[in-house]
Amino acid sequence: MSLSEITAKIDAACAKAGRTPDSVKLIAVSKVQPLDRVTAVLDDGHRLFGENRVQEADGKWPDLRDQYGDVDVHLIGPLQSNKARQAMQLFQAIHSVDRPKLAKSIARLAQELGRCPDLFLQINTGEEPQKAGVLPTEADAFVAECRALDLPVRGLMCIPPVDEEPSLHFALLAKIAERNGLTGLSMGMSGDFESAIALGATHVRVGSAIFGARVKS
């Protein structure tokens, strides 16, 4: 699908949910995509992208920003504590704050750097042992801990289990966010972003529907 087709689908989903189109941000997930596909989307005027790996983003976006001007890039993949400094200097938002140790590292670096990207806390809504994120029962305490560290927590993020109905997980994430006074919901990908919008998503992460299948080097 073209970028305009995805945007039209987002607008239609917003209208159906009684929301304004500007209440949902489209993150074009450019991880493991050839440069020509990324520049094609930039040429179409899009300026918000998502990356999974700090190293890959660092090899790509400084040059693209020189060429295209201000581009917001969000980290949507896992972050190791030893990459936190580099991530905080490169990304405008980090969607994968998934454990207290990482939150403490970010807080320490924020004091040192004098700035901090917007943060989304990752909730493991499916309680999958192999997946990152805090459990739903621990989410309130994690939000409180991050706020106590004076971190700019903007919302929550989840990745539903592949074999379960995603809307159940989106509804759970929205409920956790609401009771903690958080308005940001990073949820929904290429196959389910419309149901995510219906349940309050503010950021949808769409890759293959825009760029085509990933190409691994």
Side-chain angles (χ1 to χ4, degrees), residues 64-85:
L64 288 172
R65 282 176 171 143
D66 286 343
Q67 187 177 349
Y68 286 93
D70 286 343
V71 180
D72 279 357
V73 185
H74 292 191
L75 180 66
I76 59 173
L79 177 60
Q80 297 171 312
S81 295
N82 64 356
K83 298 275 188 185
R85 177 189 295 274

Side-chain angles (χ1 to χ4, degrees), residues 95-115:
H95 291 238
S96 49
V97 181
D98 59 359
R99 59 199 186 278
K101 180 186 175 186
L102 177 60
K104 289 171 185 170
S105 293
I106 291 172
R108 177 178 52 79
L109 288 163
Q111 291 293 321
E112 185 183 322
L113 298 169
R115 58 172 297 277

Side-chain angles (χ1 to χ4, degrees), residues 47-61:
R47 291 295 182 271
L48 174 56
F49 292 80
E51 292 284 343
N52 250 41
R53 296 169 63 88
V54 176
Q55 202 163 344
E56 182 188 348
D58 194 39
K60 180 191 300 178
W61 285 104

Side-chain angles (χ1 to χ4, degrees), residues 2-217:
S2 67
L3 179 66
S4 60
E5 286 174 309
I6 295 293
T7 304
K9 281 181 174 288
I10 289 172
D11 290 351
C14 287
K16 189 175 179 182
R19 301 175 60 188
T20 58
D22 61 2
S23 67
V24 179
K25 289 182 167 60
L26 169 61
I27 301 173
V29 181
S30 47
K31 62 179 183 181
V32 203
Q33 291 290 352
L35 197 59
D36 60 331
R37 292 186 186 177
V38 179
T39 56
V41 175
L42 282 160
D43 288 338
D44 276 346
H46 196 68
R47 291 295 182 271
L48 174 56
F49 292 80
E51 292 284 343
N52 250 41
R53 296 169 63 88
V54 176
Q55 202 163 344
E56 182 188 348
D58 194 39
K60 180 191 300 178
W61 285 104
D63 288 344
L64 288 172
R65 282 176 171 143
D66 286 343
Q67 187 177 349
Y68 286 93
D70 286 343
V71 180
D72 279 357
V73 185
H74 292 191
L75 180 66
I76 59 173
L79 177 60
Q80 297 171 312
S81 295
N82 64 356
K83 298 275 188 185
R85 177 189 295 274
Q86 191 178 8
M88 291 174 68
Q89 293 171 321
L90 183 61
F91 298 105
Q92 281 66 53
I94 296 171
H95 291 238
S96 49
V97 181
D98 59 359
R99 59 199 186 278
K101 180 186 175 186
L102 177 60
K104 289 171 185 170
S105 293
I106 291 172
R108 177 178 52 79
L109 288 163
Q111 291 293 321
E112 185 183 322
L113 298 169
R115 58 172 297 277
C116 187
D118 289 342
L119 302 177
F120 290 76
L121 309 184
Q122 185 170 352
I123 310 301
N124 185 353
T125 55
E127 302 185 25
E128 298 173 275
Q130 80 283 8
K131 192 171 281 182
V134 300
L135 297 175
T137 54
E138 298 168 0
D140 296 356
F142 190 41
V143 172
E145 183 174 356
C146 290
R147 283 176 166 158
L149 291 167
D150 202 26
L151 291 173
V153 179
R154 303 301 179 215
L156 306 178
M157 183 271 259
C158 76
I159 304 171
V162 294
D163 57 350
E164 293 185 20
E165 172 54 49
S167 61
L168 299 174
H169 296 271
F170 300 153
L172 174 58
L173 196 73
K175 186 177 179 181
I176 296 169
E178 183 180 21
R179 71 172 180 244
N180 283 284
L182 292 168
T183 56
L185 288 169
S186 174
M187 60 189 196
M189 297 186 281
S190 289
D192 55 27
F193 66 84
E194 288 158 304
S195 62
I197 289 169
L199 288 161
T202 58
H203 295 71
V204 293
R205 311 180 301 269
V206 180
S208 57
I210 295 173
F211 295 102
R214 292 180 210 156
V215 178
K216 293 195 175 181
S217 56

